[in-house]
Amino acid sequence: MLTLHSAASRDCSGLARRDFIRAGVLGLGSLSLAHLLAAKAVGRAAGKSYVRDRSIVLLFLGGGASHIETFNPNMGAPAPYSSVTGEVKTAIPGLTLGGNFPLLARHAKSLAVVRSFAHANSNHPKAIIHMLTGGTDPTGDGKLGQSMGSVYARFRGPNHEASGLPTYCLVSSDETDNQYITERGRIAAGSHPGELGLAYAPFDPTGGSQLLKNLNLAVPADRLDDRKSLLGKLDTVKRSIDSSGNLQGLDRFAGQALDMIVRGAGEAFDISKEDPRTVERYDTSSFRVGKKLFQPSSIGKQMLMARRLVEAGCGFVTVQNSGWDMHADGNNPGIGPGMDMLGPPLDKAVGAFLDDLTDRNLLDKVLLVITGDFGRTPTINARGGRDHYPALCTLAFLGGGLGKGQIIGQSTHKNDAPAGDPISLANLHSTLLHAQFDIGQLRLDTALPRELSRLAEPPPIAGLF
C-alpha cells in the first residue's frame, strides 16, 4: 500500500499529512482550517467509547410495502383484511409472514416484527423524507432535519478510521422503469444531511454518485499505478490547504475518492472480489421487475454490497428497493401480482444476507431494518390494489443482537390501526441510536450538538433491548 506520510510528518496540531487529506478533503469542503481541526477532534470513532460495535442496514421498500402481505398476514380475519398471498408459518408461535417469504421465515428466531408502527403522512415524497429523517422533518418538505444515517455519521465521524470507508452509504440501483426511477430519487432525497453538511451525506457506490464521477475525473485509471504522480497530487492538495488556511475550491468527493483508492478501501465496493459461490447465493437477476419496462432484479447484488460495506467498516447502509406502490394503476401492479413479482427476489436476497452474516459470525453485529414509505390500505380498491396507508406501517428488525423471535405490538382485527399505543417514528429513531451508541456516554461528549443527542430521548422500542 502506498505510504503518504511518516510518523514525523505532522504539524503542531498533531495532524498528519494524511489527516488533511482524509479529515479535510474527505468531507468538509469550504470550511476553514479551524473547523477542520475541530472536526478532526470529534471525528475519531476509534476513540469514542460510546460507539458500539454494531452496523445498521436499512432496507427501504420504496413505494410503501404492504404491512399485510409482508409481516402481518392476519389470516384469522376475512378478506380483504388478510394477506392475498397467504402466509408462511415460522418456528415462533403466532409469528407468520406473507406467503412470498419462506426463506425469511427460516430466520424467525432472529426476527422482531412490529405490528403497531404508524405515522401520519400519506404523500410519497414527503413520507419518505419524514421516514428517512427519523421524524426530524415533521412534514417531509425537505426543509428541516437530516437523515438518520447522517446523524449516525455526525456522531461517529464521516469516515472509518482504519479503512477510510465512508461511515454512511446509500446502495441504490440503476433503474429502467420511470416509476422505479422516481422512487429511487425520492429515497436519495430523503437521505440528505440537512444543515449537518455534505460531510455527512451518504456515498452511493452503485448509483453513479458524484464521488464516482469525480473519481474518474480526478485520477485517470492509467495513472493510479504511478506512485510518484499520485503522491504529487496529494501533496498539491496539502500545500493548497497550508497556504490558504481553508478548503475553498477543493472537491470533497474527489478527495475522498483519492483516499479510498490509496488506502485500498475501494475494494469493498468491488463485488468481483467476492467468492462466485457467494455471489450466486445472492443473485436475483433471474427475477424480472418493473411495470412498463422490465429489468433483472438487482436487490441481491445490493444486499451483497451492503454486507461487504458493513464488514469493511461502514456503520450505516441504506438499501433502496423500488416498486412497492401497488395501486393497480397505470404505473403500478395490483397487490397480488406485485407481491408475486417483488416478494421472491426480496426473500432470496434477505435470506442470503442473513445466511451470510451467520456464516461470518456477524449476525449479532449487523442489524437489518426493513421498512418503507408507509403501509397499504386494509381494503382493496376496484382495480385490485391496496392504496397508501400510514396509519399502520411495515417495520421489522433482524439480527443485531436485539430482541429475537417476537412480535411487538398488535393491530386491530381489520389490520387498520394499532390495537394499543402506536410505535412512532421518534421511537424508531431512538431505537437505532440506542443500538449504535452508549447514549449515556454519548451525552458526555460536549462537542456533539445537544439537539442531536436529544433524538435518543424518546423511549426505544420496548422488547428490543
Side-chain angles (χ1 to χ4, degrees):
M1 182 180 291
L2 180 61
T3 301
L4 296 184
H5 69 280
S6 67
S9 178
R10 295 184 176 273
D11 66 6
C12 60
S13 69
L15 286 167
R17 176 178 301 177
R18 179 182 300 282
D19 297 330
F20 282 96
I21 301 300
R22 186 174 74 239
V25 184
L26 270 182
L28 300 173
S30 82
L31 296 181
S32 69
L33 184 56
H35 285 92
L36 170 63
L37 299 177
K40 179 64 180 178
V42 302
R44 291 195 171 189
K48 294 179 177 180
S49 61
Y50 52 77
V51 179
R52 299 190 190 280
D53 185 17
R54 181 183 287 132
S55 298
I56 286 181
V57 175
L58 175 61
L59 175 52
F60 198 87
L61 307 182
S66 167
H67 60 288
I68 303 170
E69 276 72 31
T70 53
F71 298 111
N72 190 7
N74 200 34
M75 297 307 292
Y81 311 117
S82 55
S83 169
V84 302
T85 59
E87 67 179 356
V88 177
K89 294 184 178 180
T90 75
I92 307 302
L95 177 56
T96 63
L97 306 181
N100 295 120
F101 302 104
L103 299 178
L104 182 55
R106 296 180 188 174
H107 294 274
K109 291 183 179 179
S110 300
L111 172 64
V113 168
V114 178
R115 290 181 172 171
S116 56
F117 176 53
H119 63 79
N121 200 318
S122 61
N123 174 276
H124 279 304
K126 293 183 178 183
I128 290 173
I129 292 174
H130 181 54
M131 281 288 302
L132 290 175
T133 61
T136 59
D137 187 330
T139 62
D141 289 321
K143 298 177 181 179
L144 297 173
Q146 56 283 310
S147 69
M148 294 185 286
S150 294
V151 173
Y152 174 76
R154 177 63 182 85
F155 286 162
R156 185 184 120 169
N159 295 86
H160 190 274
E161 274 293 298
S163 69
L165 199 71
T167 288
Y168 176 28
C169 286
L170 169 63
V171 181
S172 66
S173 172
D174 289 331
E175 304 290 3
T176 299
D177 192 288
N178 283 338
Q179 179 70 13
Y180 286 38
I181 292 171
T182 297
E183 290 173 8
R184 171 186 163 184
R186 290 168 177 168
I187 293 171
S191 302
H192 72 88
E195 293 184 356
L196 295 180
L198 287 178
Y200 306 104
F203 167 48
D204 184 349
T206 59
S209 71
Q210 190 63 38
L211 193 157
L212 291 180
K213 295 175 183 177
N214 287 349
L215 171 59
N216 293 329
L217 293 173
V219 189
D222 61 355
R223 302 193 68 181
L224 287 178
D225 292 330
D226 186 340
R227 295 161 62 95
K228 182 177 180 180
S229 174
L230 184 56
L231 183 58
K233 286 178 179 286
L234 299 180
D235 279 339
T236 298
V237 173
K238 167 64 164 59
R239 288 194 298 272
S240 175
I241 296 172
D242 287 344
S243 63
S244 66
N246 61 65
L247 297 175
Q248 290 182 352
L250 295 180
D251 189 325
R252 166 218 176 197
F253 297 105
Q256 184 170 346
L258 280 170
D259 199 56
M260 287 170 56
I261 289 271
V262 173
R263 299 166 67 107
E267 288 195 3
F269 303 109
D270 187 356
I271 289 180
S272 69
K273 305 286 186 181
E274 195 64 55
D275 185 330
R277 292 171 295 182
T278 301
V279 175
E280 177 62 26
R281 288 170 68 183
Y282 279 90
D283 185 20
T284 56
S285 62
S286 62
F287 299 97
R288 306 285 293 180
V289 298
K291 171 60 178 177
K292 296 179 179 178
L293 297 172
F294 287 82
Q295 68 186 69
S297 170
S298 66
I299 185 59
K301 180 179 178 181
Q302 290 170 264
M303 292 305 295
L304 175 54
M305 176 71 75
R307 194 272 293 161
R308 290 181 62 84
L309 290 175
V310 295
E311 192 173 35
C314 184
F316 197 111
V317 180
T318 300
V319 177
Q320 163 257 328
N321 185 233
S322 296
W324 298 87
D325 192 22
M326 298 175 185
H327 286 291
D329 58 11
N331 294 318
N332 305 280
I335 192 68
M339 289 302 304
D340 288 341
M341 176 178 64
L342 292 180
L346 184 75
D347 187 47
K348 180 176 182 180
V350 173
F353 181 76
L354 296 170
D355 286 339
D356 204 5
L357 293 180
T358 301
D359 292 346
R360 295 169 183 272
N361 294 318
L362 292 174
L363 186 61
D364 285 342
K365 294 186 177 182
V366 179
L367 175 62
L368 175 63
V369 183
I370 304 177
T371 189
D373 315 20
F374 31 60
R376 311 301 297 187
T377 54
T379 55
I380 295 178
N381 63 35
R383 302 178 302 274
R386 295 191 190 273
D387 299 316
H388 302 181
Y389 200 74
L392 208 55
C393 304
T394 300
L395 181 61
F397 300 87
L398 294 112
L402 301 189
K404 301 175 181 179
Q406 63 177 317
I407 299 169
I408 298 174
Q410 294 290 343
S411 66
T412 59
H413 182 62
K414 290 185 176 181
N415 229 344
D416 60 352
D421 291 337
I423 289 172
S424 70
L425 195 45
N427 299 135
L428 171 59
H429 196 179
S430 180
T431 298
L432 300 192
L433 291 174
H434 280 265
Q436 293 166 305
F437 303 104
D438 181 327
I439 299 302
Q441 291 296 316
L442 182 145
R443 290 186 178 122
L444 299 178
D445 189 339
T446 58
L448 296 176
R450 179 64 180 143
E451 63 270 19
L452 293 185
S453 61
R454 288 195 186 102
L455 296 174
E457 291 180 357
I461 297 173
L464 288 180
F465 295 94

